[in-house]
Amino acid sequence: MADPIPQVPAPGESGSERPGEDEPPRKGRRKRPFWQELPILIGIALVLTILIQQFVAKVFLIPSASMETTLHGCDGCFGDRVVVDRVTYDFTDPAPGDVIVFRGPQPWTANEIAPQESGNVFTKALRGLGSLVGFAPPDERDFVKRVIAVGGQTVQCCDPQGRVLVDGKPLDEPYIHWLDQPPSVQQTFPPVTVPKGSLWVMGDNRENSCDSRCQGGGGVNGTVPVDDVIGKARVIVLPPSRWGGVSDHDPQAAPAALGAPAWQQGIPLGAGALLAFPTLAASRGLRRKLSKQD
């Protein structure tokens, strides 16, 4: 009778033992309490908010009444906070009807008195943080106006009906706010040909706005270089009673263009908070994988 064939232990086995039987059980990693994760979430949300506002969209406080009633900023009322799209003009130029935020060009700011800065480091830090999320005026001297004409076009005011003309054609401007009823007569100005790479901008509150008509003495000096444009105002986020898109009606064309697409109406701070949770979850998953490899 043949001898039985000896059983060769499988790799990792020793006799009847199974893999891992001689290893001490691993201790499960205790989940960090929420109160300890909360500061991490806040920190991640803040970092993401700053990145979003620097490169994608930023919240701006409207400090003046020159864009009434499209954007509220009058004395004694709650100034609007608007989300400004910083990406669109990386691919296209501002168009007539766009409401834009821009850095004041030299002719606009030459005679302005620079704002007095606090010497307190803590106060300056709070102001800077508030500016980032739109709860304090920005440090820069920025403006918000509507594009009326672009480079190469000739703008003037007015025709017999009191309308602004661009290349000899009257504009359709339903967004104009008049202080008096019936409407007052617009301030007249001679024809101005907008230089290439520049914009002619005006406030919707046409009787209470110093814009391309008067800044730098008016004329060509009142135009705004496209390079100074920060972005396009897309949506009002505060106060809640005024949530909604910012009209970008093209005064040179008919029918009127629609407002900002829904997919572009986001709040950077909210986006930062939402992205903080998956970022934290991903980091925790990575830590677990690395601990298993130890």
Side-chain angles (χ1 to χ4, degrees), residues 207-232:
E207 298 171 283
N208 188 24
S209 174
C210 187
D211 41 47
S212 292
R213 298 171 295 175
C214 65
Q215 293 284 359
V220 174
N221 284 341
T223 60
V224 176
V226 172
D227 290 343
D228 288 336
V229 175
I230 295 171
K232 179 178 180 178

Side-chain angles (χ1 to χ4, degrees), residues 242-294:
R242 285 182 48 77
W243 283 349
V246 177
S247 164
D248 59 359
H249 173 79
D250 182 353
Q252 298 185 25
L258 296 177
W263 66 269
Q264 292 176 324
Q265 297 182 5
I267 305 174
L269 185 57
L274 290 175
L275 290 173
F277 285 93
T279 303
L280 180 61
S283 65
R284 289 177 59 186
L286 181 60
R287 289 200 303 269
R288 283 197 296 268
K289 289 181 180 179
L290 292 176
S291 66
K292 289 179 181 180
Q293 296 175 2
D294 294 340

Side-chain angles (χ1 to χ4, degrees), residues 13-14 31 59 101 129 163 171-172 178 189 201 252 263:
E13 293 186 357
S14 177
K31 185 177 179 181
V59 178
V101 173
L129 181 60
R163 296 171 296 183
L171 300 184
D172 173 36
W178 300 106
F189 57 90
V201 298
Q252 298 185 25
W263 66 269

Side-chain angles (χ1 to χ4, degrees), residues 142-154:
D142 300 333
F143 297 83
V144 56
K145 305 291 180 188
R146 191 182 295 271
V147 178
I148 300 300
V150 298
Q153 294 186 318
T154 299

Side-chain angles (χ1 to χ4, degrees), residues 1 25-26 31 33 43 57 59 61 69 81 99 107 115 129 135 155 167 176-177 182 196-197 205 228 232 275 277:
M1 186 173 180
R26 288 180 179 270
K31 185 177 179 181
V59 178
L61 168 66
T69 58
R81 270 74 169 176
V99 176
L129 181 60
F135 290 105
V155 58
D167 291 337
I176 292 181
H177 172 66
K196 292 291 185 182
N205 191 352
D228 288 336
K232 179 178 180 178
L275 290 173
F277 285 93

